Amino acid sequence: MPDIMEDADRHCAKTGARLTPLRRRVLELVAQARAPVKAYDLLSQIDRTSTSAKPPTVYRALDFLIEAGLVHRVEALNAFVACPQAGHGHAAVLYVCESCANVTEVQGSRPGQENKPAGFTVKRSVIEHYGLCADCPRP
Amino acid sequence: MPDIMEDADRHCAKTGARLTPLRRRVLELVAQARAPVKAYDLLSQIDRTSTSAKPPTVYRALDFLIEAGLVHRVEALNAFVACPQAGHGHAAVLYVCESCANVTEVQGSRPGQENKPAGFTVKRSVIEHYGLCADCPRP
DNA sequence: GAGCAGATGTAATAACGTAACATTTTATCG
DNA sequence: CGATAAAATGTTACGTTATTACATCTGCTC
């Protein structure tokens, strides 16, 4: 995995988004985790250092990071993962292993739009597959 | 739309699932709604009649209905919709209009599995597209 | 009718997320 | 530089979503 933080810095420099110390810290925490992270877990990790973190602190940082394309929200888990490739847009397809919690992200240009109803305009897609990754033993 | 309740009765008779009065009532409420329904909205609708409904009441009924393939959970909305065709499995693709809240469900045999990682076994998929349906005006 | 399994009732609380307003920091421009 | 406007963060409070744990009831089987 290439350095997510460097990638994020470059991406934000390019787009003009402001990756402040707080946002950077939240991204680091999300990126370091080897599994989707919960907002309140981030909150308690931040608290260890700064003592002033409250829910809006972390949710605002996450909103920014999602908007910037640096983090994805895993809807069915109420959790968050770092995007391995900054700014790939919102076309991510996530494969979430229910055994080891590892998440693999792949890209598709118009993923999952089987039999799209006539005239429907897709603005945002949520595509999450849950199961077992190759490394986890079958039950 | 063919009668969802008849469909549900037939489906449960076939599979041996017990569509009790409470579960049936919850399914009716979900099916009547023209948009995804929140659990606590169901709760207050049930309360009007029985006065004894508490959160577990409705969540248990919803769990049963989802398990039985009669209801889908819309993950990104924390809400629920009736499945138009009982027991179609968990391969549903949902198109959710953000303007009128209407949900169209289509079926795909292996929807959304673009570039599936080698060896990954999918057990359950969440595929939700958000945007504007054909009937809603473009901004 | 004793015993069991499944379903439901009930109380309490955990987990997730946001609104509203105060304060601080940073950018901009005269 | 200093005014001022915009963006970010701090803070309090609360709203929403969901679960745990245990009690009770209902219908079935023997």
Side-chain angles (χ1 to χ4, degrees):
Chain A
M1 186 186 314
D3 193 26
I4 288 183
M5 297 314 298
E6 272 181 35
D7 238 43
D9 286 330
R10 252 180 286 119
H11 181 70
C12 288
K14 196 174 309 178
T15 64
R18 295 178 50 189
L19 191 59
T20 64
L22 177 60
R23 291 164 174 175
R24 205 166 187 288
R25 170 121 173 78
V26 170
L27 178 56
E28 276 171 6
L29 291 171
V30 176
Q32 278 164 18
R34 50 160 248 324
V37 199
K38 301 284 201 164
Y40 274 67
D41 291 344
L42 293 170
L43 189 51
S44 48
Q45 292 185 262
I46 297 174
D47 258 338
R48 287 205 207 106
T49 52
S50 86
T51 201
S52 76
K54 305 273 182 305
T57 309
V58 63
Y59 280 107
R60 285 193 287 227
L62 287 169
D63 285 349
F64 167 87
L65 294 169
I66 290 167
E67 185 69 20
L70 302 172
V71 161
H72 296 293
R73 183 182 161 87
V74 189
E75 294 291 349
L77 297 180
N78 295 336
F80 304 86
V81 291
C83 178
Q85 296 183 43
H88 244 8
H90 301 277
V93 177
L94 303 181
Y95 289 86
V96 184
C97 178
E98 292 176 317
S99 175
C100 69
N102 183 64
V103 176
T104 301
E105 172 179 347
V106 302
Q107 300 291 331
S109 61
R110 273 179 156 52
Q113 299 190 14
E114 283 82 3
N115 305 315
K116 189 179 75 165
F120 196 101
T121 303
V122 174
K123 290 207 303 206
R124 179 176 94 93
S125 295
V126 174
I127 305 186
E128 301 170 2
H129 299 288
Y130 294 84
L132 286 175
C133 72
D135 299 336
C136 283
R138 283 13 193 192
Chain B
M1 188 189 313
D3 193 26
I4 288 183
M5 296 315 298
E6 273 181 32
D7 239 43
D9 287 330
R10 252 180 285 119
H11 181 70
C12 288
K14 197 175 308 178
T15 62
R18 294 180 51 191
L19 191 59
T20 63
L22 176 60
R23 292 166 173 173
R24 207 169 187 286
R25 172 120 172 78
V26 170
L27 177 56
E28 276 172 6
L29 291 172
V30 177
Q32 279 164 18
R34 51 160 248 322
V37 200
K38 302 283 202 166
Y40 275 68
D41 290 345
L42 292 170
L43 189 53
S44 49
Q45 292 186 263
I46 296 174
D47 259 336
R48 288 207 206 105
T49 51
S50 86
T51 202
S52 75
K54 305 275 183 301
T57 309
V58 64
Y59 281 107
R60 285 194 288 228
L62 287 169
D63 285 347
F64 167 87
L65 295 168
I66 290 167
E67 185 68 21
L70 301 172
V71 162
H72 296 294
R73 183 182 160 86
V74 188
E75 295 290 350
L77 297 180
N78 296 335
F80 304 86
V81 291
C83 178
Q85 295 183 45
H88 244 6
H90 301 275
V93 177
L94 303 181
Y95 288 86
V96 184
C97 179
E98 292 176 317
S99 174
C100 68
N102 183 64
V103 176
T104 301
E105 173 179 346
V106 303
Q107 300 291 332
S109 61
R110 275 180 154 51
Q113 300 190 13
E114 283 83 3
N115 305 316
K116 189 178 75 164
F120 195 102
T121 303
V122 175
K123 291 207 303 208
R124 179 175 94 91
S125 295
V126 174
I127 305 185
E128 302 170 1
H129 298 289
Y130 293 84
L132 285 175
C133 73
D135 299 337
C136 283
R138 281 15 191 190

